[in-house]
Every structure is written in structure tokens, then in C-alpha cells.
Amino acid sequence: MIDFAFLTDTFLKLSAALPVTLGLFISAFLCGGILAIGILSLRMSRWRVLSGFARGYILVFRGSPLMIQLFLIYYGLGQFGVIRHSFVWPFLREPFICAVLALSLCTAAYTAEILRGALLAVPAGQVEAGLACGMSRWLLLRRIIAPIMLRYALPAYSTEAILLVKSTALASLVTVWDVTGVAQQIIQRTYRTMEVFVCAAAIYLILNFIIVQLYALLERRLSAQHRVAKKPMPAVKPLAGE
């Protein structure tokens, strides 16, 4: 029989840890997005040294498991005396900060490639038209390139956001008590794995559903002008006697 009382109590306990999961996601999402723009700038640079550095960064963080990156940051950085005696050590010894750092570095690599693909898809004719109108590079970026690039990047970027939410579960491996961490604590006390993980999965599912709806709303707003432009012209009624 299904123990609804236990499921309700477990869901409430896991929901209490949701702010930690949201904090991990929002912090990593914002930091990773800012870092991705910097990596994209280096990746598109004409200087081979800068472009090569960006290529190497993307290769390393996309080609290695996030769990290993998290362990190297949390357990590995403390092995260096220079870091232990620096001003960053009070931050790097905190599990939450290390988890955010690992998530940010990893998602930045994926996001940079998503943005690069969207940037390359911007029609050259629209850029040339903007330059012909006398737009400065900054105005061209703000009015033409960035909106089009964002519209092209949204489908893949929404997928990356969902993956980032699910990746926050790895933070429990370094004693960050998010939804997954609290779920593991409950399982250790009750030995009821199925019910606890079903509640945790439901929370992640609801959270990802909300994120998908937010991205869909943003995509509809960015594409509103194109939908209006593509509306068929009304049919012209023939004059009487024709």
C-alpha cells in the first residue's frame, strides 16, 4: 500500500531544501552565462592564442565529467599552499561556493558553443544593412546581432538550463544539502529509497517544467514580430460583375 502520509512528509522536507537547489542553479546560471560571453569573445578572436585558449577551455570542460571537475575543485585546490594562504581560501573551502564554481565553469563551456552557433547563424545581409545605415558596432550588436542570436540560441539554451538543474544534484557529493542531499539523509534513516526518490524526482520535474514554460514565453515574445510578418494577406474579394 502507498503510504501517503510518508510521501507528503517527505515531499515537504525535500521542498524545504529547494532554496539551496535554486541558489545553486541561479548562481551557476548567471556566473556561467557571464563567463560564456567572455569565452565566446576569445573563441571568435582573430588572435590564435586567445582562440586557442578558448578552444582548450571548451575541450576540457565539455570532455570531462562534471563530477570529476567538482571533486578536483573541492578536494584538489586545498592541496596547494598558495591557495590555502590566499584571500580566496575562505570562499573555496565552502562546499556551496565550490559547487557553484564547478557548475559555472562547466555550463560556461556548453553555453559558449551554443552562443557561437547562434552567432554564426545571424544573416550576414542584416549585419551589412545595419552597417550601411551607419550603425556603430555597439548599436549593431544591441539592435540586430544580439536579438537574433538570442532567438536562435534559446532552444538549445533551454536544454542547457534543464541539464544544469539536474546537475545541481551532484552538489550533494560535497555535503551541500540540496534536494538530493536531503533525500539521501532521509533514505539513510528510513531505508525507503523508492518513495523518497519519487518525491525528489517530482520536485525536479516541476522545477524543470517551470523553466521550460519561461523559455517558451521568452521565445514567443522574441518571435512575435516574425509571426505577425508571416501572417497571410487577406483575400481580395472580387468586384461585383467580375
Side-chain angles (χ1 to χ4, degrees):
M1 299 232 1
I2 300 177
D3 190 348
F4 289 102
F6 177 77
L7 289 175
T8 303
D9 182 64
T10 300
F11 189 87
L12 292 176
K13 289 180 179 178
L14 295 180
S15 298
L18 188 57
V20 179
T21 296
L22 287 175
L24 287 169
F25 167 70
I26 295 174
S27 300
F29 184 81
L30 295 177
C31 295
I34 295 172
L35 182 58
I37 295 174
I39 296 298
L40 174 64
S41 301
L42 297 179
R43 180 70 174 82
M44 303 301 294
S45 174
R46 296 179 181 178
W47 296 86
R48 289 190 176 182
V49 175
L50 299 179
S51 178
F53 172 81
R55 288 172 183 267
Y57 177 92
I58 293 171
L59 175 63
V60 169
F61 284 96
R62 288 205 309 171
S64 58
L66 176 58
M67 185 176 67
I68 294 178
Q69 298 170 19
L70 179 60
F71 283 165
L72 287 176
I73 291 174
Y74 183 67
Y75 296 108
L77 293 180
Q79 305 297 319
F80 299 98
V82 176
I83 295 180
R84 286 200 310 272
H85 295 92
S86 66
F87 69 96
V88 297
W89 179 240
F91 302 99
L92 291 179
R93 67 183 179 184
E94 295 294 331
F96 185 89
I97 299 297
C98 289
V100 170
L101 180 59
L103 291 169
S104 301
L105 293 174
C106 185
T107 192
Y110 288 93
T111 304
E113 282 297 279
I114 291 172
L115 295 179
R116 187 176 74 90
L119 179 60
L120 295 176
V122 175
Q126 297 195 26
V127 177
E128 293 173 357
L131 292 174
C133 292
M135 287 186 175
S136 64
R137 291 186 178 275
W138 170 249
L139 186 61
L140 183 68
L141 176 64
R142 186 165 58 91
R143 291 288 184 85
I144 296 179
I145 298 177
I148 297 176
M149 183 177 70
L150 181 60
R151 188 165 61 247
Y152 286 152
L154 272 180
Y157 201 21
S158 63
T159 302
E160 175 59 23
I162 292 172
L163 293 175
L164 181 59
V165 171
K166 294 189 289 186
S167 297
T168 58
L170 293 176
S172 62
L173 299 176
V174 292
T175 68
V176 176
W177 302 122
D178 63 333
V179 172
T180 304
V182 173
Q184 292 174 347
Q185 288 181 326
I186 297 174
I187 291 172
Q188 291 172 1
R189 293 196 304 266
T190 63
Y191 299 100
R192 302 176 72 166
T193 304
M194 177 64 72
E195 295 97 324
V196 176
F197 277 144
V198 165
C199 291
I203 291 176
Y204 283 110
L205 184 62
I206 294 171
L207 183 57
N208 283 328
F209 175 78
I210 295 173
I211 291 174
V212 168
Q213 295 307 310
L214 290 175
Y215 269 95
L217 177 62
L218 180 59
E219 189 172 359
R220 284 196 297 270
R221 293 195 64 175
L222 289 175
S223 304
Q225 296 178 350
H226 293 268
R227 291 200 304 272
V228 172
K230 291 181 180 179
K231 273 188 176 180
M233 295 294 293
V236 179
K237 293 183 179 180
L239 299 175
E242 288 188 357

